Amino acid sequence: MQVTVEKLSPVLLEFVVEVPAEQVRSEVEKAYTVLQRTARVRGYRPGKAPRNILSHLYGGRVHADVAQRLVDATLNKALAEQSVQPLSQPAIAPAELRPDASFSYKARFEVRPEISGVKWEGFEVKRPSVKASDEMVDAEIAGLRRKHATLQSPDPERPAKVGDVATITFKLEIGGEFLDQKEQEVETELGSGHLFKEIDEALIGMNAGEHKDVRLTFPAQHQNPELRSKEGVFHVTLKDLRERIYPEVDDEFAKDCGEESLEALRASQRAKVEKELTQKASDAVAEQLVMEICKANPIPVPPSLVDQQAQLAERELLAAARRQGQRLDSNADLRARVRLDSEMKVRAGLLMAEIAKEKEVKVTEADIEKGYEELAEQSGKNVAKVKAEYRDPKKRELLIGMILEDKILDMIEAAAKITDAA
């Protein structure tokens, strides 16, 4: 077997593999021997059809099968001989197989780029402020007030306004027919954006028990394909109206929140905000360092790795939006932004892997145990359950990769010049 290697780009190789004629003849003979025992040819008893007849009837299929077997038998051996590990499934282009001649094929695939001398020290980045302002603490207190607020009917009665919690019933009419004969009932906060804008606006100023017909056109991308771009009429009734009664911000309120005094409550909320700001600042520094190492080392990246990362990132974005009750459409602009970010992440991953190789950075069992504990804390699961989930070899490999990247980022951060933002 002869192998010729051609480097089409820094991340794309092509092998030309030539299989000797003797091996081709041997495989062809084996194929016809098997075929002769199993073929059913009119006019001949099983196993008695002449070779020329079999060649005439089945030659094309036999040659194709033999060509595939020769590729399967030689490609991995060729890769091992050349010490090459493909990143993508090799694209095979076989030449025509002739029983008495050598057989050749081309195999094209992506590989990791050759990297030497990664620049990773001395980057200058800024760390965002981790100091909680009074306004931030006030916002947290406001959130707690909302959480501890009670709902009650306005006294005296009044029309609905933004912020009220309304219970409405409705029936939807499309093309003169009701979509459902039974009224639907929902509860919503007015102005929250959970209803169609036209319905939300129509409810403002209505009194409990009042009816309104609201006409609107459904979006072209509505989740129900049967309603897309159609005009409908919502027959709406404001069934009930309640307003939030917020508690006074005092020591009693603080005790309801689990603190001894209002001063202690503000202190605990300040600590909570600063913990979150510290994490965000750490993430921001890491993002800046990733950008800097990519700018300092503009290596080519294999498109297949970028494709995989982009598909994963897009799925995660869409899933996160669904969990938060938001609608996020996969469009060309989103895909372009995701791909740009994915290319940077792949480049950074390749560079950090090279640093790990050069500096002989390893992931120990102690590192993995710590990773399990951090995952358990983040997810709210116990450590045993997290370990069970990561018994899967692929998930464990992913975790090890994340731990390794964190170690390398710590090295890059230690060697960077980091200034705190004012």
Side-chain angles (χ1 to χ4, degrees):
M1 178 181 69
Q2 290 185 340
V3 182
T4 305
V5 181
E6 184 177 358
K7 195 170 187 177
L8 302 178
S9 82
V11 295
L12 188 64
L13 289 186
E14 184 175 84
F15 278 13
V16 178
V17 181
E18 184 173 347
V19 182
E22 300 79 34
Q23 187 174 352
V24 175
R25 280 195 294 270
S26 174
E27 288 297 325
V28 170
E29 288 300 322
K30 289 179 186 176
Y32 275 113
T33 299
V34 173
L35 178 63
Q36 193 166 37
R37 289 199 301 266
T38 59
R40 295 289 184 266
V41 180
R42 175 181 279 183
Y44 297 92
R45 285 180 296 160
K48 297 299 182 180
R51 169 71 175 269
N52 63 326
I53 299 295
L54 294 175
S55 178
H56 175 72
L57 293 174
Y58 301 105
R61 192 183 79 184
V62 169
H63 291 180
D65 290 345
V66 169
Q68 185 61 55
R69 281 202 297 274
L70 289 171
V71 170
D72 294 340
T74 58
L75 181 56
N76 286 337
K77 185 179 178 183
L79 292 169
E81 286 181 357
Q82 300 296 323
S83 300
V84 172
Q85 184 176 3
L87 291 176
S88 61
Q89 184 67 29
I92 306 299
E96 182 182 355
L97 185 138
R98 296 180 180 176
D100 295 319
S102 62
F103 166 71
S104 66
Y105 64 90
K106 294 180 179 179
R108 184 175 295 188
F109 47 85
E110 291 177 11
V111 293
R112 293 178 183 272
E114 295 178 3
I115 306 172
S116 60
V118 180
K119 300 175 185 176
W120 59 275
E121 296 176 286
F123 297 135
E124 296 184 9
V125 299
K126 288 188 178 293
R127 180 186 286 110
S129 173
V130 297
K131 183 176 177 59
S133 66
D134 289 341
E135 290 77 9
M136 293 176 182
V137 177
D138 290 342
E140 292 297 316
I141 298 294
L144 289 173
R145 285 188 75 205
R146 179 182 174 86
K147 184 178 177 181
H148 286 81
T150 58
L151 291 172
Q152 68 179 42
S153 299
D155 186 18
E157 290 186 6
R158 60 165 175 77
K161 64 180 183 180
V162 172
D164 286 341
V165 175
T167 302
I168 67 170
T169 58
F170 67 88
K171 290 175 72 174
L172 173 58
E173 181 184 342
I174 300 286
E177 294 185 2
F178 287 112
L179 202 65
D180 194 330
Q181 293 300 318
K182 186 179 179 181
E183 280 191 329
Q184 305 294 312
E185 182 175 297
V186 296
E187 183 179 276
T188 185
E189 179 180 331
L190 300 183
S192 64
H194 293 156
L195 298 177
F196 283 110
K197 181 182 177 182
E198 294 88 343
I199 298 177
D200 211 39
E201 291 176 349
L203 288 168
I204 303 299
M206 286 177 64
N207 292 297
E210 190 175 345
H211 306 271
K212 265 190 184 179
D213 292 341
V214 183
R215 189 178 299 273
L216 58 82
T217 300
F218 288 92
Q221 298 299 321
H222 192 272
Q223 59 186 6
N224 186 343
E226 296 179 2
L227 298 180
R228 290 174 184 171
S229 301
K230 288 188 178 180
E231 188 178 88
V233 179
F234 282 88
H235 300 277
V236 180
T237 299
L238 178 55
K239 188 176 178 181
D240 182 52
L241 189 68
R242 290 174 294 166
E243 63 182 355
R244 281 191 172 85
I245 306 300
Y246 291 90
E248 292 294 327
V249 180
D250 52 22
D251 287 343
E252 287 303 314
F253 170 65
K255 289 175 182 177
D256 289 340
C257 296
E259 300 291 347
E260 292 183 355
S261 64
L262 180 57
E263 183 180 356
L265 177 62
R266 291 189 66 85
S268 69
Q269 294 307 300
R270 188 178 297 277
K272 173 176 175 283
V273 171
E274 290 186 345
K275 182 180 179 181
E276 293 171 353
L277 289 174
T278 299
Q279 182 59 55
K280 288 180 180 178
S282 178
D283 293 342
V285 167
E287 288 175 9
Q288 292 176 68
L289 291 173
V290 166
M291 291 179 66
E292 290 299 322
I293 195 173
C294 288
K295 283 195 292 185
N297 302 275
I299 62 169
V301 292
S304 63
L305 291 185
V306 178
D307 290 342
Q308 292 170 22
Q309 176 63 36
Q311 289 169 11
L312 177 63
E314 188 173 338
R315 284 198 300 270
E316 288 177 347
L317 276 175
L318 296 174
R322 283 195 298 271
R323 285 195 299 270
Q324 295 170 11
Q326 299 173 352
R327 181 173 180 80
L328 183 63
D329 293 324
S330 177
N331 52 44
D333 181 57
L334 174 68
R335 287 192 292 272
R337 286 188 284 111
V338 167
R339 186 169 185 83
L340 191 64
D341 182 62
S342 298
E343 184 175 326
M344 184 175 68
K345 285 181 178 177
V346 170
R347 181 174 288 111
L350 292 171
L351 292 168
M352 286 191 278
E354 186 63 24
I355 296 172
K357 181 180 175 183
E358 288 179 3
K359 299 298 180 182
E360 297 184 348
V361 180
K362 306 292 184 183
V363 175
T364 65
E365 283 300 321
D367 294 326
I368 296 173
E369 287 296 322
K370 184 180 177 183
Y372 288 145
E373 292 171 4
E374 290 175 353
L375 285 170
E377 184 179 351
Q378 293 167 11
S379 63
K381 301 174 183 176
N382 61 50
V383 176
K385 187 169 184 180
V386 171
K387 286 183 177 180
E389 291 175 355
Y390 279 82
R391 284 198 192 108
D392 179 277
K394 288 185 178 179
K395 292 194 73 172
R396 182 180 168 86
E397 184 180 345
L398 184 63
L399 175 61
I400 291 172
M402 290 166 59
I403 294 171
L404 185 62
E405 286 192 3
D406 284 345
K407 281 191 161 192
I408 301 303
L409 270 174
D410 288 343
M411 286 174 50
I412 297 171
E413 184 172 344
K417 298 174 183 177
I418 302 174
T419 55
D420 293 325

